[in-house]
Coordinates of all heavy atoms in Angstrom, one line a residue:
V355 N -72.2 -189.8 169.4 CA -72.9 -191.0 169.4 C -73.2 -191.5 170.8 O -72.2 -191.8 171.5 CB -72.1 -192.1 168.5 CG1 -73.0 -193.3 168.4 CG2 -71.8 -191.6 167.2
P356 N -74.5 -191.5 171.3 CA -74.7 -192.0 172.6 C -74.7 -193.5 172.6 O -75.1 -194.2 171.7 CB -76.1 -191.4 173.0 CG -76.7 -191.3 171.6 CD -75.7 -191.1 170.6
V357 N -74.2 -194.0 173.8 CA -74.1 -195.5 173.8 C -74.6 -196.1 175.2 O -74.4 -195.3 176.2 CB -72.6 -195.9 173.8 CG1 -72.3 -197.3 174.2 CG2 -72.2 -195.8 172.3
N358 N -75.3 -197.2 175.2 CA -75.8 -197.7 176.5 C -74.5 -198.5 177.0 O -74.0 -199.4 176.4 CB -77.0 -198.5 176.2 CG -77.4 -199.4 177.5 OD1 -76.9 -200.4 177.9 ND2 -78.4 -198.8 178.2
H359 N -74.3 -198.3 178.3 CA -73.1 -198.8 179.0 C -73.1 -200.4 179.0 O -72.2 -201.1 178.8 CB -73.0 -198.2 180.4 CG -71.9 -198.9 181.3 ND1 -70.7 -198.3 181.3 CD2 -72.0 -199.9 182.1 CE1 -70.0 -199.0 182.1 NE2 -70.8 -200.0 182.7
C360 N -74.4 -200.9 179.3 CA -74.6 -202.4 179.4 C -74.3 -203.0 178.1 O -73.7 -204.1 177.9 CB -75.9 -202.7 180.0 SG -76.3 -201.7 181.4
V361 N -75.0 -202.5 177.1 CA -74.9 -203.0 175.7 C -73.4 -202.9 175.3 O -72.8 -203.8 174.6 CB -75.7 -202.2 174.7 CG1 -75.4 -202.6 173.2 CG2 -77.2 -202.4 175.0
A362 N -72.7 -201.9 175.8 CA -71.3 -201.9 175.4 C -70.4 -202.9 175.9 O -69.6 -203.5 175.3 CB -70.7 -200.4 175.8
H363 N -70.7 -203.3 177.3 CA -70.0 -204.5 177.9 C -70.2 -205.7 177.0 O -69.3 -206.5 176.8 CB -70.5 -204.8 179.2 CG -69.9 -204.0 180.4 ND1 -68.7 -204.2 180.8 CD2 -70.4 -203.1 181.2 CE1 -68.4 -203.4 181.8 NE2 -69.5 -202.7 182.2
L364 N -71.4 -205.9 176.5 CA -71.7 -207.0 175.7 C -71.1 -207.0 174.3 O -70.6 -208.1 173.8 CB -73.2 -207.3 175.6 CG -73.9 -207.3 176.9 CD1 -75.3 -207.4 176.9 CD2 -73.3 -208.5 177.8
E365 N -71.2 -205.9 173.7 CA -70.8 -205.8 172.2 C -69.3 -206.0 172.2 O -68.8 -206.6 171.3 CB -71.2 -204.4 171.6 CG -72.6 -204.3 171.3 CD -73.1 -205.4 170.3 OE1 -72.2 -206.2 169.8 OE2 -74.2 -205.5 169.9
I366 N -68.4 -205.5 173.1 CA -67.0 -205.7 173.0 C -66.7 -207.1 173.2 O -65.9 -207.7 172.6 CB -66.3 -204.7 174.0 CG1 -64.8 -204.7 173.6 CG2 -66.4 -205.2 175.4 CD1 -64.3 -203.9 172.4
A367 N -67.4 -207.8 174.2 CA -67.2 -209.2 174.4 C -67.6 -210.1 173.2 O -66.9 -211.0 172.8 CB -67.9 -209.8 175.7
R368 N -68.7 -209.6 172.6 CA -69.2 -210.4 171.3 C -68.1 -210.2 170.2 O -67.8 -211.2 169.5 CB -70.5 -209.9 170.9 CG -71.2 -210.8 170.0 CD -72.7 -210.3 169.7 NE -72.8 -209.0 169.1 CZ -72.9 -208.8 167.8 NH1 -72.8 -209.9 167.0 NH2 -73.0 -207.7 167.3
A369 N -67.7 -209.0 170.0 CA -66.7 -208.7 169.0 C -65.4 -209.6 169.2 O -64.9 -210.2 168.2 CB -66.4 -207.2 168.9
L370 N -64.9 -209.6 170.4 CA -63.7 -210.2 170.7 C -63.8 -211.7 170.6 O -62.9 -212.5 170.3 CB -63.1 -209.8 172.0 CG -62.7 -208.4 172.1 CD1 -62.3 -208.0 173.5 CD2 -61.7 -207.9 171.0
S371 N -65.1 -212.3 170.8 CA -65.3 -213.7 170.9 C -65.4 -214.2 169.4 O -65.2 -215.5 169.3 CB -66.6 -214.1 171.7 OG -67.8 -213.6 170.8
G372 N -65.8 -213.4 168.5 CA -66.1 -213.8 167.2 C -67.4 -214.6 167.1 O -67.7 -215.2 166.0
L373 N -68.1 -214.6 168.2 CA -69.4 -215.4 168.1 C -70.4 -214.4 167.6 O -70.6 -213.3 168.0 CB -69.7 -216.0 169.5 CG -68.8 -216.9 170.1 CD1 -68.9 -217.1 171.5 CD2 -69.0 -218.3 169.4
D374 N -71.4 -215.0 166.9 CA -72.3 -214.1 166.1 C -73.6 -213.7 167.0 O -74.0 -212.6 167.3 CB -72.9 -214.8 164.9 CG -73.7 -213.9 164.0 OD1 -73.4 -212.7 164.0 OD2 -74.8 -214.4 163.6
D375 N -74.1 -214.8 167.7 CA -75.4 -214.5 168.4 C -75.4 -215.3 169.7 O -76.3 -216.1 170.0 CB -76.5 -215.0 167.5 CG -77.9 -214.5 168.2 OD1 -78.0 -213.6 168.9 OD2 -78.8 -215.4 168.0
P376 N -74.5 -215.1 170.6 CA -74.3 -215.7 171.9 C -75.4 -215.2 172.9 O -75.9 -214.2 172.7 CB -73.0 -215.4 172.4 CG -72.7 -214.1 171.9 CD -73.4 -214.0 170.5
L377 N -75.6 -216.0 173.9 CA -76.4 -215.5 175.1 C -75.3 -214.8 175.9 O -74.1 -215.0 175.8 CB -76.8 -216.7 175.9 CG -77.6 -216.4 177.1 CD1 -79.1 -216.2 176.7 CD2 -77.6 -217.5 178.1
L378 N -75.7 -213.8 176.6 CA -74.8 -212.9 177.3 C -75.1 -212.9 178.9 O -76.3 -212.7 179.3 CB -74.9 -211.5 176.8 CG -74.8 -211.4 175.3 CD1 -75.6 -210.4 174.7 CD2 -73.3 -211.2 175.0
L379 N -74.1 -213.2 179.6 CA -74.3 -213.1 181.0 C -73.5 -211.8 181.5 O -72.2 -211.8 181.3 CB -73.7 -214.3 181.8 CG -73.6 -214.2 183.3 CD1 -75.0 -214.0 183.9 CD2 -73.0 -215.4 183.9
Y380 N -74.2 -210.9 181.9 CA -73.6 -209.5 182.2 C -73.6 -209.4 183.7 O -74.6 -209.2 184.4 CB -74.4 -208.5 181.5 CG -74.1 -207.0 181.9 CD1 -72.8 -206.6 182.2 CD2 -75.2 -206.1 182.0 CE1 -72.7 -205.3 182.5 CE2 -75.0 -204.8 182.4 CZ -73.7 -204.4 182.6 OH -73.4 -203.1 183.0
T381 N -72.5 -209.5 184.4 CA -72.4 -209.3 185.7 C -71.4 -208.3 186.1 O -70.2 -208.3 185.8 CB -71.8 -210.6 186.4 OG1 -70.6 -211.0 185.7 CG2 -72.8 -211.8 186.3
S382 N -72.0 -207.1 186.7 CA -71.1 -206.0 187.1 C -71.4 -205.5 188.4 O -72.1 -206.1 189.2 CB -71.2 -205.0 185.9 OG -72.5 -204.4 186.0
G383 N -71.0 -204.3 188.7 CA -71.3 -203.6 190.0 C -72.8 -203.4 190.1 O -73.5 -204.0 191.0
G384 N -73.4 -202.6 189.3 CA -74.8 -202.2 189.3 C -75.7 -203.2 188.6 O -77.0 -203.1 188.8
N385 N -75.2 -204.1 187.8 CA -76.2 -204.9 187.0 C -75.9 -206.4 187.1 O -74.7 -206.8 187.2 CB -76.1 -204.5 185.6 CG -76.6 -203.1 185.4 OD1 -77.8 -202.9 185.2 ND2 -75.7 -202.1 185.2
T386 N -76.9 -207.2 186.9 CA -76.7 -208.6 186.8 C -77.9 -209.1 185.9 O -79.1 -209.0 186.3 CB -76.9 -209.4 188.2 OG1 -75.8 -208.8 189.1 CG2 -76.6 -210.8 188.1
Q387 N -77.5 -209.4 184.7 CA -78.6 -209.8 183.7 C -78.2 -210.8 182.8 O -77.0 -211.0 182.4 CB -78.8 -208.4 182.8 CG -79.5 -207.3 183.6 CD -79.8 -206.1 182.7 OE1 -79.1 -205.9 181.7 NE2 -80.6 -205.3 183.2
V388 N -79.1 -211.7 182.4 CA -79.0 -212.7 181.3 C -79.7 -212.1 180.1 O -80.9 -211.8 180.2 CB -79.4 -214.0 181.7 CG1 -79.3 -215.0 180.5 CG2 -78.8 -214.6 182.9
I389 N -79.0 -211.9 179.0 CA -79.5 -211.1 177.9 C -79.4 -211.9 176.6 O -78.4 -212.7 176.4 CB -78.7 -209.9 177.8 CG1 -78.8 -209.1 179.1 CG2 -79.0 -209.0 176.6 CD1 -77.8 -207.9 179.2
A390 N -80.4 -211.8 175.8 CA -80.3 -212.3 174.4 C -80.8 -211.3 173.4 O -81.7 -210.6 173.7 CB -81.0 -213.6 174.2
Y391 N -80.3 -211.3 172.2 CA -80.8 -210.4 171.2 C -82.0 -210.9 170.5 O -82.1 -212.1 170.4 CB -79.7 -210.1 170.1 CG -80.2 -209.5 168.9 CD1 -80.3 -208.0 169.0 CD2 -80.7 -210.1 167.8 CE1 -80.9 -207.3 168.0 CE2 -81.2 -209.4 166.7 CZ -81.4 -207.9 166.8 OH -82.0 -207.3 165.8
G392 N -82.9 -210.0 170.3 CA -84.1 -210.4 169.5 C -85.0 -209.3 169.0 O -85.3 -208.4 169.9
G393 N -85.2 -209.2 167.8 CA -86.2 -208.2 167.3 C -85.7 -206.8 167.5 O -86.5 -205.9 168.0
G394 N -84.5 -206.5 167.1 CA -84.0 -205.1 167.0 C -83.4 -204.6 168.3 O -82.9 -203.4 168.4
R395 N -83.5 -205.4 169.4 CA -82.9 -204.9 170.6 C -82.4 -206.1 171.5 O -82.7 -207.2 171.3 CB -83.7 -204.0 171.4 CG -85.0 -204.7 171.8 CD -86.0 -203.7 172.6 NE -86.4 -202.6 171.6 CZ -86.8 -201.4 172.1 NH1 -86.9 -201.1 173.3 NH2 -87.1 -200.5 171.2
Y396 N -81.6 -205.7 172.6 CA -81.2 -206.8 173.5 C -82.4 -207.0 174.5 O -82.8 -206.0 175.1 CB -79.9 -206.5 174.2 CG -78.7 -206.7 173.4 CD1 -78.1 -205.7 172.6 CD2 -78.3 -208.0 173.1 CE1 -77.1 -205.9 171.8 CE2 -77.2 -208.2 172.3 CZ -76.7 -207.1 171.7 OH -75.6 -207.5 170.8
R397 N -82.8 -208.2 174.8 CA -83.8 -208.5 175.7 C -83.3 -209.1 177.1 O -82.3 -210.0 176.9 CB -84.8 -209.6 175.1 CG -85.2 -209.3 173.7 CD -86.3 -208.4 173.7 NE -86.5 -207.9 172.3 CZ -87.5 -207.0 172.0 NH1 -88.3 -206.6 172.9 NH2 -87.6 -206.6 170.7
V398 N -83.8 -208.6 178.1 CA -83.4 -209.1 179.4 C -84.2 -210.4 179.7 O -85.4 -210.2 180.0 CB -83.5 -208.0 180.6 CG1 -83.0 -208.6 181.8 CG2 -82.6 -206.8 180.1
L399 N -83.6 -211.5 179.8 CA -84.4 -212.8 180.1 C -84.5 -213.0 181.7 O -85.4 -213.5 182.1 CB -83.7 -214.0 179.4 CG -83.3 -213.9 178.0 CD1 -82.6 -215.1 177.5 CD2 -84.6 -213.7 177.2
G400 N -83.4 -212.5 182.3 CA -83.4 -212.7 183.8 C -82.5 -211.7 184.3 O -81.6 -211.2 183.7
E401 N -82.7 -211.4 185.6 CA -81.8 -210.3 186.3 C -82.0 -210.4 187.8 O -82.7 -211.1 188.3 CB -82.2 -209.0 185.8 CG -83.7 -208.5 186.1 CD -83.9 -207.1 185.4 OE1 -83.2 -206.3 185.5 OE2 -85.1 -207.0 184.9
T402 N -81.1 -209.5 188.4 CA -81.2 -209.5 189.9 C -82.6 -208.8 190.3 O -82.9 -207.8 189.6 CB -80.0 -208.8 190.5 OG1 -80.2 -208.7 191.8 CG2 -79.9 -207.4 189.9
L403 N -83.1 -209.2 191.3 CA -84.4 -208.6 191.9 C -84.0 -207.6 192.9 O -84.9 -206.9 193.3 CB -85.2 -209.7 192.5 CG -85.7 -210.8 191.5 CD1 -86.5 -211.9 192.2 CD2 -86.6 -210.1 190.4
D404 N -82.8 -207.5 193.4 CA -82.3 -206.5 194.2 C -81.1 -205.7 193.8 O -81.2 -204.9 192.9 CB -82.3 -207.0 195.7 CG -81.5 -208.3 195.9 OD1 -80.6 -208.6 195.2 OD2 -81.9 -209.1 196.8
I405 N -79.9 -206.1 194.4 CA -78.7 -205.5 194.0 C -77.8 -206.2 192.9 O -78.0 -207.5 192.8 CB -77.9 -205.1 195.2 CG1 -77.7 -206.4 196.1 CG2 -78.4 -204.0 196.0 CD1 -76.7 -206.1 197.2
G406 N -77.0 -205.5 192.2 CA -76.1 -206.1 191.3 C -75.1 -207.0 192.1 O -74.8 -206.7 193.2
V407 N -74.6 -208.1 191.5 CA -73.7 -209.0 192.2 C -72.4 -208.4 192.7 O -71.9 -208.6 193.7 CB -73.5 -210.4 191.4 CG1 -72.8 -210.1 190.1 CG2 -72.6 -211.3 192.2
G408 N -71.9 -207.4 191.8 CA -70.7 -206.6 192.2 C -71.0 -205.8 193.4 O -70.1 -205.8 194.3
N409 N -72.0 -205.0 193.4 CA -72.4 -204.2 194.6 C -72.5 -205.0 195.8 O -72.1 -204.6 196.9 CB -73.6 -203.4 194.3 CG -73.4 -202.3 193.4 OD1 -72.4 -202.0 192.9 ND2 -74.5 -201.5 193.0
F410 N -73.1 -206.2 195.6 CA -73.2 -207.1 196.8 C -71.9 -207.5 197.3 O -71.7 -207.5 198.5 CB -74.1 -208.3 196.3 CG -73.8 -209.7 197.0 CD1 -74.2 -209.7 198.4 CD2 -73.4 -210.7 196.4 CE1 -74.0 -210.9 199.1 CE2 -73.2 -211.9 197.1 CZ -73.4 -211.9 198.4
L411 N -70.9 -207.9 196.5 CA -69.6 -208.4 196.9 C -68.9 -207.1 197.5 O -68.2 -207.3 198.6 CB -68.8 -208.8 195.7 CG -69.3 -210.1 195.0 CD1 -68.6 -210.4 193.7 CD2 -69.3 -211.3 196.0
D412 N -69.0 -206.0 197.0 CA -68.4 -204.7 197.5 C -68.9 -204.4 198.8 O -68.1 -204.1 199.8 CB -68.6 -203.5 196.6 CG -67.9 -203.8 195.2 OD1 -67.1 -204.5 195.1 OD2 -68.5 -203.1 194.2
K413 N -70.3 -204.5 199.0 CA -70.9 -204.2 200.3 C -70.4 -205.2 201.4 O -70.1 -204.7 202.6 CB -72.4 -204.4 200.2 CG -73.2 -203.0 200.1 CD -74.6 -203.4 200.1 CE -75.3 -202.4 199.3 NZ -76.2 -201.6 199.7
L414 N -70.4 -206.5 201.0 CA -70.0 -207.5 202.0 C -68.5 -207.3 202.4 O -68.2 -207.3 203.6 CB -70.1 -208.9 201.3 CG -69.6 -210.0 202.2 CD1 -70.5 -210.2 203.4 CD2 -69.6 -211.3 201.4
W415 N -67.7 -206.9 201.5 CA -66.3 -206.8 201.8 C -66.1 -205.5 202.6 O -65.3 -205.6 203.6 CB -65.5 -206.6 200.5 CG -64.0 -206.6 200.7 CD1 -63.1 -205.5 200.5 CD2 -63.2 -207.7 201.4 NE1 -61.9 -205.9 200.8 CE2 -61.8 -207.2 201.4 CE3 -63.5 -208.9 201.8 CZ2 -60.8 -207.9 201.8 CZ3 -62.3 -209.6 202.3 CH2 -61.1 -209.2 202.3
I416 N -66.8 -204.5 202.4 CA -66.6 -203.3 203.2 C -67.2 -203.6 204.6 O -66.5 -203.2 205.7 CB -67.4 -202.0 202.6 CG1 -66.7 -201.6 201.3 CG2 -67.7 -200.9 203.5 CD1 -67.4 -200.7 200.4
E417 N -68.3 -204.3 204.8 CA -68.8 -204.7 206.1 C -67.8 -205.6 206.8 O -67.7 -205.6 208.0 CB -70.2 -205.5 205.9 CG -71.3 -204.7 205.4 CD -72.0 -203.8 206.5 OE1 -71.6 -204.1 207.7 OE2 -72.7 -203.0 206.2
L418 N -67.0 -206.3 206.1 CA -66.0 -207.2 206.7 C -64.7 -206.4 207.0 O -63.7 -207.0 207.4 CB -65.7 -208.4 205.8 CG -66.9 -209.4 205.6 CD1 -66.4 -210.5 204.6 CD2 -67.3 -210.0 206.9
G419 N -64.7 -205.2 206.8 CA -63.5 -204.3 207.1 C -62.6 -203.9 206.0 O -61.6 -203.4 206.2
G420 N -63.0 -204.3 204.8 CA -62.1 -204.0 203.6 C -62.6 -202.7 202.9 O -63.4 -201.9 203.5
T421 N -61.9 -202.4 201.8 CA -62.2 -201.1 201.1 C -62.7 -201.6 199.6 O -62.4 -202.7 199.1 CB -61.0 -200.3 200.9 OG1 -59.9 -201.0 200.4 CG2 -60.6 -199.7 202.3
F422 N -63.4 -200.7 199.0 CA -63.8 -200.8 197.6 C -62.6 -200.9 196.7 O -61.7 -200.2 196.8 CB -64.7 -199.7 197.2 CG -65.2 -199.6 195.9 CD1 -66.3 -200.2 195.5 CD2 -64.4 -199.0 194.8 CE1 -66.8 -200.2 194.1 CE2 -64.9 -199.0 193.5 CZ -66.0 -199.6 193.2
P423 N -62.6 -201.8 195.6 CA -63.7 -202.8 195.2 C -63.6 -204.1 196.0 O -62.4 -204.6 196.2 CB -63.5 -202.9 193.8 CG -62.0 -202.7 193.6 CD -61.6 -201.7 194.6
G424 N -64.7 -204.7 196.4 CA -64.6 -205.9 197.1 C -64.4 -207.2 196.3 O -63.8 -208.2 196.8
G425 N -64.9 -207.3 195.1 CA -64.8 -208.4 194.2 C -63.4 -209.1 194.2 O -63.3 -210.3 194.5
P426 N -62.4 -208.3 193.7 CA -61.1 -209.0 193.6 C -60.5 -209.4 195.0 O -59.9 -210.5 195.1 CB -60.2 -207.9 193.0 CG -61.1 -206.8 192.5 CD -62.5 -207.0 193.2
A427 N -60.8 -208.7 196.1 CA -60.2 -209.0 197.3 C -60.9 -210.2 197.9 O -60.3 -211.2 198.4 CB -60.5 -207.8 198.3
L428 N -62.2 -210.4 197.6 CA -63.0 -211.6 198.1 C -62.5 -212.8 197.2 O -62.4 -213.9 197.9 CB -64.5 -211.4 197.8 CG -65.2 -210.7 199.0 CD1 -66.6 -210.3 198.6 CD2 -65.3 -211.6 200.2
E429 N -62.1 -212.5 196.0 CA -61.7 -213.7 195.2 C -60.3 -214.2 195.7 O -60.2 -215.4 196.0 CB -61.4 -213.2 193.8 CG -60.8 -214.3 192.9 CD -60.7 -214.1 191.4 OE1 -60.7 -212.9 191.0 OE2 -60.9 -215.1 190.7
A430 N -59.5 -213.3 196.2 CA -58.1 -213.8 196.8 C -58.4 -214.5 198.1 O -57.9 -215.6 198.4 CB -57.2 -212.5 197.0
E431 N -59.3 -213.9 199.0 CA -59.6 -214.5 200.3 C -60.3 -215.9 200.1 O -59.9 -216.8 200.9 CB -60.6 -213.5 200.9 CG -60.9 -213.8 202.4 CD -59.8 -213.0 203.3 OE1 -58.9 -212.5 202.8 OE2 -60.0 -213.1 204.5
A432 N -61.2 -216.0 199.1 CA -61.9 -217.3 199.0 C -61.0 -218.5 198.7 O -61.3 -219.6 199.0 CB -62.9 -217.1 197.8
K433 N -59.8 -218.1 198.1 CA -58.8 -219.2 197.7 C -58.3 -219.8 199.0 O -57.8 -221.0 199.0 CB -57.7 -218.6 196.9 CG -58.1 -218.1 195.6 CD -57.0 -218.0 194.6 CE -57.5 -217.7 193.2 NZ -57.2 -216.4 192.6
Q434 N -58.3 -219.2 200.1 CA -57.9 -219.8 201.4 C -59.1 -220.5 202.1 O -58.8 -221.0 203.2 CB -57.3 -218.7 202.4 CG -56.4 -217.7 201.7 CD -55.2 -218.3 200.9 OE1 -54.6 -219.2 201.4 NE2 -54.9 -217.7 199.8
G435 N -60.2 -220.3 201.6 CA -61.4 -220.9 202.4 C -61.5 -222.4 202.1 O -61.1 -222.9 201.1
A436 N -62.1 -223.1 203.1 CA -62.2 -224.6 203.0 C -63.7 -225.0 203.4 O -64.3 -225.9 202.7 CB -61.3 -225.2 204.0
E437 N -64.4 -224.3 204.3 CA -65.7 -224.8 204.8 C -66.8 -224.0 204.0 O -66.8 -222.8 203.9 CB -65.8 -224.5 206.3 CG -67.0 -225.2 206.9 CD -67.3 -224.8 208.4 OE1 -66.4 -224.1 208.9 OE2 -68.4 -225.0 208.8
L438 N -67.8 -224.9 203.5 CA -68.9 -224.3 202.9 C -70.0 -224.0 203.8 O -70.7 -224.9 204.3 CB -69.4 -225.2 201.7 CG -70.5 -224.7 200.8 CD1 -70.1 -223.4 200.0 CD2 -70.9 -225.8 199.7
L439 N -70.3 -222.7 204.1 CA -71.3 -222.3 205.1 C -72.7 -222.2 204.3 O -72.8 -221.8 203.3 CB -71.0 -221.0 205.7 CG -69.6 -220.9 206.4 CD1 -69.2 -219.5 206.6 CD2 -69.6 -221.6 207.7
P440 N -73.7 -222.6 205.1 CA -75.1 -222.5 204.4 C -75.5 -221.1 204.2 O -75.5 -220.3 205.1 CB -76.0 -223.3 205.4 CG -75.3 -223.2 206.7 CD -73.8 -223.1 206.4
L441 N -76.0 -220.7 203.0 CA -76.5 -219.5 202.7 C -77.6 -219.6 201.8 O -77.8 -220.6 201.1 CB -75.4 -218.7 201.8 CG -74.0 -218.3 202.6 CD1 -73.0 -217.9 201.6 CD2 -74.4 -217.3 203.6
P442 N -78.6 -218.6 201.8 CA -79.8 -218.8 201.0 C -79.5 -218.7 199.6 O -78.7 -217.9 199.0 CB -80.6 -217.5 201.4 CG -79.8 -216.7 202.3 CD -78.5 -217.4 202.6
Y443 N -80.0 -219.8 198.9 CA -79.8 -219.9 197.4 C -81.1 -219.4 196.7 O -82.1 -220.0 196.7 CB -79.6 -221.4 197.1 CG -79.3 -221.8 195.7 CD1 -78.0 -221.8 195.2 CD2 -80.3 -221.9 194.7 CE1 -77.6 -222.1 193.9 CE2 -79.9 -222.3 193.4 CZ -78.7 -222.3 193.0 OH -78.3 -222.6 191.7

Side-chain angles (χ1 to χ4, degrees):
V355 185
V357 163
N358 176 276
H359 175 90
C360 313
V361 170
H363 271 295
L364 303 177
E365 285 299 359
I366 194 75
R368 195 170 69 89
L370 298 175
S371 72
L373 296 163
D374 185 43
D375 186 34
L377 185 81
L378 304 146
L379 173 62
Y380 167 40
T381 54
S382 64
N385 291 282
T386 302
Q387 296 179 334
V388 179
I389 298 168
Y391 171 78
R395 61 184 61 203
Y396 282 100
R397 311 281 168 176
V398 178
L399 307 179
E401 63 186 314
T402 177
L403 298 173
D404 46 31
I405 50 176
V407 60
N409 283 358
F410 153 64
L411 298 171
D412 295 336
K413 257 183 210 249
L414 175 65
W415 186 243
I416 289 167
E417 291 281 347
L418 294 176
T421 54
F422 176 88
L428 275 167
E429 176 166 32
E431 192 89 356
K433 292 197 174 121
Q434 318 302 321
E437 193 189 344
L438 186 61
L439 303 162
L441 293 167
Y443 185 90

